[in-house]
Amino acid sequence: MTANSDARRIEELREAIRHHNYRYYVLDDPSITDAEYDRLMQELLRLEAQHPELVTPDSPTQRVGAAPSSQFGQVKHAVPMLSLSNAFSEQDVRDFDRRARERLDTAQPIEYTCEPKLDGLAVSLRYENGVFVQAATRGDGTTGEDVTANVRTIQSVPLRLAGEGWPRLLEVRGEVFMSHAGFARMNREAAERGEKTFVNPRNAAAGSLRQLDPAVSASRPLEIFFYGTGAHEGGRLPDRHGELLRQLREWGLRTNPEIRTVTGVEGCLEYHREMQQKRASLGYDIDGVVYKVDRYDLQRELGFVSRAPRWAVAHKFPAQEESTVLKGVDFQVGRTGALTPVARLEPVFVGGVTVSNATLHNMDEIERLGVKIGDTVIVRRAGDVIPEIVQVVEAKRPEDARDIVLPATCPVCGSDVVREEGEAAARCTGGLYCGAQRKESLKHFASRRAMDIEGLGDRLIELFIEKGYLRNAADIYRLHEHAAELQAFEGFGEKSVAKLLKAIDASRHTTLARFLYALGIRDVGEATAQTLARHFGSLRAIMDADEPALQEVPDVGPKVAARIADFFREEHNREVIDRLLAAGIEWEEGERAEAGPKPLEGRTFVLTGSLESMTRDEAKDRITALGGKVAGSVSKKTSYVVAGADPGSKLARAEELGVPVLDEQALLKLLEGRG
Ligand code: D41
């Protein structure tokens, strides 16, 4: 091939690659496969290697090239990067809007463009004649650091603008961030190499952007969304912010698809509510939303006070992480004897509530965190998820910080505590001799998803155990013998006793699956209880099944089969079951005949966060009724993660594993057979 036709082909390839980058990063709608894209890139690399004189800085191959440097140069922003003032309440936003209308002397509602506020790093990028030439961090707003080589490695940053009509000089401003999925992947890889991991996506993004070696930066999954412009010369820009953002997008500069223009402060507040709902399913962290007066002429009229514009405000969400002091650790004994370390904290306001306890999960987690009593720790509370400790601020460790030690004996019954090989949990060996395990198993037996005895909660169970009325589940059905004594208890009159006894009575009629689940056999959750009931059809058949027979049930492996068989071999358990049946507990046998369509058969769901149109339990019932399964944790086998408002770490895990995430609407579609 001649040099001339090579030059033409090089241009063709660059055009094609730019086009596909645009479709992939800006439109989120690729038209070729990754493999096809790779082939175009390989061909371009080969041709450029043959013709080094044809390599230009805006070629798509020129993302990683610069050598590591020992420090960043300084860049003075031609137009300063302003700061944003914050609003923490609806009232703050109303005040902001009122002040703006007063200054503009108008009673008309103002049009605002609303944007998610990314929790990343603000940067300014400079394009000359449509070619990317420089990138700088915000710094103090006047001067930032030169991060050109690193920003060049961000795949969604166009090295040359698309379309036409861009100003000869254009500075664009945006936020560099890392998605949950990218963050999880990067941390996993770092952990595999035995390297330090980052605490959150923001720190990871900051650390990656400020890498002195652009090759390292290139390996980090950084992303960008643009939200405005700085200096510009030689060309016209739209006169409204919403239009400017659309224009940027046409030039290949990625903007957030959640951006919307609304009317008046009510529109802003509605946007805030919506984004708070959506926050979970976005796949990246936002810490609030930003409202900007849409018309630039009005922005100019409003001006700014000490670096913060009067025409924009950040409406923050309640912080999900705060620091506080770990005052002590208690060990709670659960239904199966597992000891859970619970952190006692100096009370702190986080995620919208005051938190004074947080889970530390197990001893492995304590070791991983390296946490000691007396430490200053970061507590995270996202939505309805149990607060947890995510980090230790080691710099603040006091001299007298103490190690957290696993007790050798159960704090409740004094039995030995053991830690089985390959298990994270340490357990009390007391079994039902242990008051905590007895209490927890009674609570479980009465709980809504088990025997559903309304009114028999924590407090009463504790009281009844103390009075000697309750030793095991069968005693529940003899509580009526103590009716007269019960009525004498404080705050417990004739009516409430009658109500409780009625609820106990009603619970006698149940299903085999619920009864099995209520027994509290270790590793037999609702799903396994249901499959067992369906497979065997009767309690006798399950009680008599040996381990090979149990293993024929889908999802029952050798470990669970052994637990089930052990449970029913235990004399004490058989006795309690006999007494329960004698007390009149009944269900219809032969649920195996159950009919009806099972469109969700073979699909496993994991629910996280709260749903609007139903409770998590209702969602669970509807999914199982259609043959689907609901699991408690995300794995490669999970078909879908359903993310409601404020989900937990399960969402990040789903993103990491590439498990599809459904929002509430999508779940409803599936349940209603529209999906
Ligand atoms: O997403 C963001 N973090 C974001 C930051 C955004 N969507 N818009 C922003 N707009 C501005 C003004 C109104 C001052 C142009 C910002 C920021 N500023 C900002 N980021 C860091 C400091 C200021």
Side-chain angles (χ1 to χ4, degrees):
M1 235 191 279
T2 68
N4 220 331
S5 66
D6 277 358
R8 266 204 310 277
R9 180 65 186 152
I10 285 175
E11 253 330 298
E12 232 172 68
L13 286 165
R14 286 177 186 166
E15 269 309 310
I17 291 169
R18 279 180 200 122
H19 169 76
H20 292 303
N21 278 344
Y22 178 68
R23 293 206 61 112
Y24 187 89
Y25 292 108
V26 181
L27 302 183
D28 197 16
D29 181 24
S31 56
I32 58 169
T33 63
D34 290 357
E36 286 167 319
Y37 179 90
D38 286 345
R39 280 194 288 274
L40 295 176
M41 193 59 117
Q42 287 310 317
E43 186 184 349
L44 179 59
L45 280 165
R46 192 168 42 78
L47 287 174
E48 286 186 350
Q50 284 166 15
H51 305 280
E53 74 285 0
L54 294 178
V55 177
T56 57
D58 64 338
S59 169
T61 58
Q62 299 305 297
R63 291 204 181 264
V64 201
S69 62
S70 56
Q71 84 184 63
F72 295 104
Q74 303 264 300
V75 174
K76 195 164 161 24
H77 301 298
V79 172
M81 290 181 81
L82 301 176
S83 56
L84 270 172
S85 50
N86 289 322
F88 295 98
S89 67
E90 196 173 308
Q91 193 54 50
D92 288 350
V93 178
R94 289 187 191 283
D95 291 345
F96 159 80
D97 173 67
R98 185 181 36 77
R99 284 193 304 268
R101 278 182 297 113
E102 276 170 10
R103 226 166 225 282
L104 295 171
D105 197 19
T106 175
Q108 296 294 314
I110 295 174
E111 287 199 67
Y112 292 101
T113 289
C114 307
E115 310 171 7
K117 184 172 182 295
L118 282 133
D119 199 6
L121 296 107
V123 290
S124 184
L125 276 65
R126 198 176 158 94
Y127 285 86
E128 286 171 11
N129 300 310
V131 176
F132 169 74
V133 293
Q134 188 175 63
T137 60
R138 178 172 178 278
D140 63 4
T142 308
T143 314
E145 284 177 330
D146 185 338
V147 286
T148 310
N150 292 343
V151 167
R152 190 180 264 288
T153 68
I154 302 175
Q155 295 291 334
S156 48
V157 167
L159 298 183
R160 173 199 278 239
L161 295 178
E164 52 200 33
W166 18 262
R168 199 172 58 244
L169 162 72
L170 179 65
E171 270 182 21
V172 282
R173 270 116 198 229
E175 196 87 358
V176 170
F177 67 100
M178 205 177 275
S179 72
H180 295 154
F183 170 68
R185 181 160 23 93
M186 180 187 128
N187 259 359
R188 195 187 51 227
E189 286 167 8
E192 278 164 11
R193 287 191 302 265
E195 290 168 14
K196 188 173 146 290
T197 55
F198 286 98
V199 179
N200 58 41
R202 205 205 108 86
N203 290 4
S208 302
L209 190 63
R210 300 192 71 264
Q211 267 293 329
L212 287 164
D213 182 354
V216 174
S217 226
S219 69
R220 304 284 176 81
L222 290 174
E223 299 185 39
I224 194 163
F225 277 130
F226 292 95
Y227 59 71
T229 52
H232 54 94
E233 283 165 24
R236 274 184 63 87
L237 293 176
D239 48 23
R240 282 174 175 262
H241 187 57
E243 272 165 35
L244 175 89
L245 294 173
R246 271 189 290 279
Q247 176 65 264
L248 292 184
R249 190 176 135 97
E250 276 174 29
W251 289 336
L253 299 158
R254 190 168 177 241
T255 53
N256 195 309
E258 306 297 335
I259 291 172
R260 207 165 71 220
T261 303
V262 304
T263 305
V265 68
E266 297 305 330
C268 292
L269 295 172
E270 193 189 314
Y271 182 80
H272 186 261
R273 280 190 289 274
E274 268 175 42
M275 289 312 294
Q276 219 168 342
Q277 284 286 325
K278 255 199 175 169
R279 186 179 193 181
S281 47
L282 291 176
Y284 48 82
D285 284 344
I286 61 174
D287 56 358
V289 296
V290 189
Y291 312 129
K292 298 176 184 173
V293 171
D294 193 47
R295 274 172 52 182
Y296 286 140
D297 58 336
L298 299 184
Q299 285 190 4
R300 274 188 294 276
E301 210 175 317
L302 286 163
F304 44 88
V305 252
S306 68
R307 317 292 294 281
R310 286 200 192 87
W311 43 266
V313 70
H315 188 182
K316 302 291 276 282
F317 297 142
Q320 293 185 320
E321 287 184 8
E322 288 293 349
S323 71
T324 186
V325 174
L326 177 64
K327 295 194 301 185
V329 173
D330 290 342
F331 285 83
Q332 256 173 18
V333 185
R335 174 167 62 85
T336 60
L339 263 62
T340 304
V342 178
R344 303 294 173 213
L345 304 167
E346 198 62 61
V348 59
F349 191 74
V350 53
V353 301
T354 300
V355 167
S356 42
N357 301 317
T359 181
L360 280 162
H361 301 287
N362 51 51
M363 293 309 288
D364 287 348
E365 177 70 1
I366 289 174
E367 194 175 319
R368 190 186 69 82
L369 288 166
V371 61
K372 290 174 190 271
I373 295 167
D375 268 339
T376 294
V377 294
I378 311 278
V379 181
R380 179 175 173 82
R381 180 188 180 271
D384 300 334
V385 184
I386 301 169
E388 54 182 1
I389 291 179
V390 292
Q391 194 193 351
V392 174
V393 186
E394 265 171 50
K396 290 198 181 168
R397 173 165 292 164
E399 298 231 332
D400 59 353
R402 287 181 290 127
D403 282 337
I404 300 165
V405 273
L406 178 71
T409 57
C410 172
V412 177
C413 73
S415 300
D416 284 348
V417 166
V418 296
R419 216 170 149 186
E420 277 169 41
E421 189 78 38
E423 273 207 45
R427 283 175 207 277
C428 158
T429 52
L432 288 181
Y433 165 75
C434 174
Q437 292 188 53
R438 194 165 341 134
K439 185 181 100 192
E440 292 303 320
S441 54
L442 283 165
K443 262 165 65 181
H444 171 77
F445 185 85
S447 67
R448 210 153 39 87
R449 311 283 304 174
M451 298 303 281
D452 190 20
I453 307 177
E454 212 187 313
L456 189 56
D458 235 348
R459 200 176 59 86
L460 284 186
I461 288 176
E462 254 166 67
L463 180 71
F464 294 164
I465 290 178
E466 192 191 313
K467 295 284 171 191
Y469 303 158
L470 278 188
R471 282 180 319 279
N472 60 51
D475 293 338
I476 293 175
Y477 296 92
R478 295 180 61 173
L479 276 174
H480 59 91
E481 293 169 11
H482 304 281
E485 294 132 281
L486 297 187
Q487 281 173 29
F489 291 148
E490 204 184 289
F492 207 57
E494 201 175 319
K495 254 200 192 149
S496 33
V497 172
K499 208 168 144 197
L500 175 65
L501 294 178
K502 204 174 146 204
I504 292 174
D505 213 26
S507 75
R508 284 192 167 92
H509 191 77
T510 183
T511 64
L512 175 55
R514 275 178 175 268
F515 182 75
L516 277 176
Y517 173 61
L519 291 177
I521 307 166
R522 219 168 114 193
D523 290 332
V524 177
E526 281 185 271
T528 309
Q530 276 168 7
T531 8
L532 282 170
R534 213 171 290 149
H535 184 87
F536 289 101
S538 81
L539 179 62
R540 276 297 142 205
I542 299 170
M543 289 176 75
D544 295 340
D546 58 10
E547 292 176 42
L550 287 164
Q551 281 193 51
E552 277 172 33
V553 179
D555 299 330
V556 174
K559 196 177 118 210
V560 179
R563 291 225 196 281
I564 298 169
D566 283 350
F567 182 90
F568 289 116
R569 264 197 293 269
E570 175 75 48
E571 196 48 49
H572 171 81
N573 292 336
R574 292 187 90 97
E575 191 188 308
V576 172
I577 290 170
D578 285 343
R579 286 181 51 209
L580 283 166
L581 297 178
I585 290 185
E586 51 165 26
W587 55 83
E588 272 156 45
E589 299 249 305
E591 278 166 48
R592 14 174 17 165
E594 208 167 300
K598 297 269 177 268
L600 300 184
E601 185 106 61
R603 293 193 237 178
T604 304
F605 293 71
V606 173
L607 308 173
T608 178
S610 52
L611 301 171
E612 271 196 337
S613 62
M614 56 187 137
T615 64
R616 289 250 287 269
D617 281 348
E618 282 162 359
K620 204 166 169 180
D621 283 343
R622 292 181 63 177
I623 291 168
T624 35
L626 296 176
K629 281 208 313 195
V630 178
S633 60
V634 184
S635 73
K636 270 183 264 173
K637 290 190 209 139
T638 310
S639 320
Y640 307 102
V641 166
V642 179
D646 282 326
S649 53
K650 290 172 191 169
L651 180 67
R653 181 85 185 128
E655 283 159 354
E656 183 190 345
L657 294 175
V659 172
V661 176
L662 303 180
D663 61 11
E664 184 161 357
Q665 289 310 315
L667 173 67
L668 286 171
K669 269 192 182 171
L670 268 186
L671 292 176
E672 287 158 16
R674 295 180 286 130

